[in-house]
Amino acid sequence: MRGLDGGGTGVRRGLGMTVAASASAAGSGSAASVSARARITAAPDGRGGTALPLLGGAGPIAPRRTRSADPAAARVTLVGAMSAPLNGDRLALEVRAEAGAALRVDGSAAMLALPGRTTGPARYDVRLQVGEGGRLHWLPEQLVSVRGSELRQHLRAEVARGGRLVVRDEQVLGRAGEEPGRLGSRLTVRYGARPLFDQELDLGPGAPGWDGGAVLGGHRAVGQLLLVGTEKTDEQRLLDWNPGESAVVTPLAGPALLVTAVARDALRLRRVLDSALTFTSW
C-alpha cells in the first residue's frame, strides 16, 4: 500500500516491512519511489546438491528458499514484500548459477505493475548468469500491466557453453475487463559469450500497432519459453509438437529453442507454455 502523509513522505507497508522515502520536493506533487536490489547465488555443495551462499533482498523483492522436488537443485521463491513496481520505482535482481550448480527460481504470485504519482516509468532489470555445467530455471509468475502504469523491463542472460537455461516470460495486458498500462519488455541472451537472442516488445496505449494482427491480434496475454543449451532429442520433440494456432516454435543458433504464444488470458497462456515443457527432458 502506498500513501502520502502530511509531511510529504511516501510510505509502503507489506509483510511486516516498512520502507519510507522522502519526496523530491515538498509540494511538488511527486510521490516517493523505491530502489531495491536482490541477489541470489547457487553453488555446488560438494555432496551432490546445491547450496545458496548468497540469498538476499530488500524492499519489494524477498527471495525465500523453498523445498525442491529435485535433490540436486536448490529452489528459491520470490515473494512480493510490498506493492511494486509503481511508476518511478527501480528494481533489480541478479541470479547466478555457478558451474555445476542447479537452481530453480519461481514466484508466489503475479507481479502487478501499478500506477504511481510520479510521471516517470518504473524499471525492472533482471540479470541471469549460468556457469559451465550449471542449470537455471527462471519461472516467475506473470507480470500484469495495470491501467495507468508504465514499466520498462529488461532481462539479460549470460550462459556459458555447457550451461542450460530455461526462461518463462509472461505478460498480461490489464486485469479482467481493464485496459492495460504501457509495458516495454526486452529479453537479451548470450551463449558462450556470443549473442544468441535479443527481442523487444512495446505494448499498451501509445505503442504503435501493439493490438493489431501483426502483434497481439486482440489477445491480452503474451509469453515466451526460451530453452538454451538444448539437446537434439528435446529439439526434435518440440519441433514435432503441434501447439495449434496460438503458439510457434522457433529453433535458434545456440543450441536453443524459443516458444512464443499469445492467448486470451493468463490461464490459457500458462497451459500452452507448460505443455511445451512436457516435451523436453528439463
Side-chain angles (χ1 to χ4, degrees):
M1 180 176 66
R2 165 179 274 182
L4 288 178
D5 65 17
T9 300
V11 179
R12 304 188 199 207
R13 296 182 178 88
L15 297 185
M17 302 178 66
T18 301
V19 172
S22 298
S24 59
S28 67
S30 62
S33 60
V34 165
S35 294
R37 182 179 297 273
R39 293 183 176 90
I40 304 168
T41 298
D45 64 4
R47 303 185 302 274
T50 299
L52 295 172
L54 179 58
L55 180 64
I61 307 174
R64 300 286 186 261
R65 181 159 193 165
T66 49
R67 182 182 296 275
S68 173
D70 181 354
R75 178 186 174 192
V76 174
T77 299
L78 301 177
V79 177
M82 59 184 67
S83 299
L86 278 68
N87 289 355
D89 287 352
R90 298 292 184 268
L91 308 180
L93 178 60
E94 298 175 8
V95 182
R96 177 175 176 79
E98 296 185 352
L103 175 64
R104 173 192 172 104
V105 181
D106 53 31
S108 63
M111 173 182 282
L112 270 65
L114 298 165
R117 294 183 63 185
T118 59
T119 57
R123 300 196 66 90
Y124 182 38
D125 293 307
V126 177
R127 185 176 294 275
L128 309 177
Q129 293 178 291
V130 185
E132 184 178 354
R135 290 188 289 127
L136 174 57
H137 286 205
W138 172 254
L139 303 170
E141 291 302 304
Q142 298 94 347
L143 171 63
V144 181
S145 177
V146 173
R147 182 176 58 187
S149 67
E150 186 174 0
L151 175 65
R152 296 290 179 262
Q153 173 185 258
H154 194 174
L155 189 152
R156 301 174 178 88
E158 292 272 355
V159 184
R161 289 199 174 275
R164 303 183 78 180
L165 173 68
V166 176
V167 172
R168 185 179 68 206
D169 185 36
E170 301 167 299
Q171 290 94 40
V172 180
L173 282 299
R175 294 171 291 193
E178 176 187 65
E179 289 299 310
R182 183 72 176 266
L183 175 60
S185 180
R186 184 175 180 182
L187 176 58
T188 306
V189 182
R190 295 173 65 86
Y191 179 75
R194 300 184 63 180
L196 171 67
F197 185 71
D198 193 350
Q199 177 175 285
E200 187 168 2
L201 294 174
D202 190 10
L203 306 171
W210 70 276
D211 205 19
V215 187
L216 292 189
H219 296 88
R220 283 297 177 266
V222 57
Q224 299 175 108
L225 183 71
L226 178 64
L227 308 173
V228 181
T230 51
E231 298 179 353
K232 292 296 184 182
T233 52
D234 288 334
E235 291 180 5
Q236 194 57 53
R237 288 192 196 103
L238 267 176
L239 290 173
D240 291 340
W241 172 55
N242 180 12
E245 297 180 354
S246 63
V248 62
V249 181
T250 306
L252 305 176
L257 281 173
L258 176 70
V259 180
T260 304
V262 295
R264 289 169 49 193
D265 54 43
L267 180 60
R268 289 178 173 85
L269 177 65
R270 176 63 59 84
R271 286 173 177 166
V272 172
L273 298 184
D274 280 353
S275 177
L277 264 181
T278 65
F279 284 86
T280 75
S281 59
W282 294 27

